[in-house]
Amino acid sequence: MAIPRSQRPRISLLSLGKNTQHWLRRTYIVLGIETSCDDTSVCLYDRYSPSAPPKLISSLTSSLDNKEFKGIVPTRALNHHQVHLAPLVCKLLRPPNAPQIIPELICVTRGPGMRGSLSVGVEFAKGLSLAWGIPMVGVHHMLAHLLTPRLLTNGSAPRFPFLSLLVSGGHTMLVLSASLLDHRILANTIDIAMGDAIDKSARELGLNGNMNGPELEKLVQRYEESVAAGENKALSKEEMTEVGIKVKLPMRPKPGRPQTAAFSFSSFVTMVKRGVAKKGGFTALSETEVQIIAKQIQDAIFDHAVDRITYTLSTVPREVVAGIQDFVCSGGVGSNLLLRKKLIDAFSNTVMNLHFPPPDLCTDNGRMIAWTGIEMWETAGLHSSYDIMPTAEWNLENILGDVDGWLREDRTEQNVRPSDIAA
Ligand code: AMP
Ligand code: ZN
């Protein structure tokens, strides 16, 4: 019988025994595996030095095409991972004309995410870990998104404490991270995620790509280029409402309505749906009308995010905010250039350094999972037991206590090389 979450120990610690080697050796190869949603993504890193970012040997991703299905179908995603994971890892480990690579640490997404999808990665990692006699770390997917910029700086920036805006297809949250395992969610979405709202709004405008966010961004960019080139007239907000749709930011302060530290994105989809229906559906819209509505909705979604972050930060004690030097924006929507600009305009005065990982590290990828596993292994001495389960819901505020199966190593002798311990 499953033990209720409330009765579980906060952490179960087992020791695998002491290492007898006393010198610092960190050189090891890391395999990263991400299968939480519909991207199968794997990578190999060479952790060749403790004082430099790990060197990427190779990374491979296979993305599921969801065009025809208007979103992600969990069973299709599961099949996608089952078909692609082993061949991708095989390609990574057996480079042409070179000896087979055997990693010394496996980092795999344990959750949160779609249970079926997660289970493909987790069970595969267990098998490899057992077969090779090397440790495995079950990684929290959202922790990986927020640690991503540290991968490029070997953990030197951003420094704790820092803020993160995590904006993906499934999540929108503002997080204050005090240390590797100490995170507080300051604001969360009360309905759908920012990426989901963007994808659904774009669909109402007739876009039907595999990922609608970048397509919507391109539409807006084309409109702005046409205005700059004088092909279209620059419009005021009021004129845009006349040509496009009526847009209103949710959760704005009103007499008698208490403010909340939260985001809400579902009304944006309704605004586009209603506005487009009033005009006779997207097929009745001109190219410019589509572009203007795209601009209105993109602007409004990002303005709402800035508005809610500003309010949320006003609720945090001043001395806490004063100690924060860094702000990370990560997750798929984090690659949007307009969102980046709005965050820089709004917060570069309050929070000194803004960090935007490159777009290929913003969307789901195995590299962020590998780095997070490295941090958990080297800094916290943690890895996972073979009875861990894929965890669809996993509280970022209680990473160790919310799930069991943690094993902790003694790091006093700086025996950080996995094979020193696992052998
Ligand atoms: P993730 O869930 O982190 O893999 O991110 C996927 C989500 O990010 C989807 O909703 C995408 O439409 C969205 N997305 C990716 N690139 C962009 C972009 N340039 N602008 C807006 N949304 C984007
Ligand atoms: Zn993600």
Side-chain angles (χ1 to χ4, degrees), residues 10 23 32 51 54 68 87 100 104 109 132 243 256 272 287 293 302 307 335 347 354 366 393 395 401 409:
R10 275 188 70 77
W23 59 87
S51 52
E68 287 170 39
Q100 172 162 359
E104 289 182 82
T109 309
W132 291 331
V243 182
V272 182
E287 196 184 340
I293 299 171
F302 298 155
D307 178 51
S335 49
F347 302 111
L354 281 110
E393 285 182 27
N395 185 358
E409 295 303 330

Side-chain angles (χ1 to χ4, degrees), residues 39-60:
D39 292 319
T40 314
S41 185
V42 296
C43 71
L44 270 183
Y45 269 111
D46 184 353
R47 183 65 168 146
Y48 71 103
S49 160
S51 52
K55 212 181 277 171
L56 182 67
I57 300 171
S58 180
S59 72
L60 296 166

Side-chain angles (χ1 to χ4, degrees), residues 34 36-37 141-142 145 168-171 331-332 362-365 368:
E34 155 65 30
S36 67
C37 192
H141 181 86
M142 300 313 288
H145 271 305
S168 68
H171 295 90
C362 274
T363 43
D364 290 350
N365 64 89
M368 67 180 189

Side-chain angles (χ1 to χ4, degrees), residues 39 145 167-170 195-196 198-199 211-214 217 302 331-333 335-336 362-364:
D39 292 319
H145 271 305
V167 278
S168 68
D196 197 12
I198 288 176
D199 290 342
M211 245 220 256
N212 282 334
E217 183 178 25
F302 298 155
V333 194
S335 49
N336 187 290
C362 274
T363 43
D364 290 350

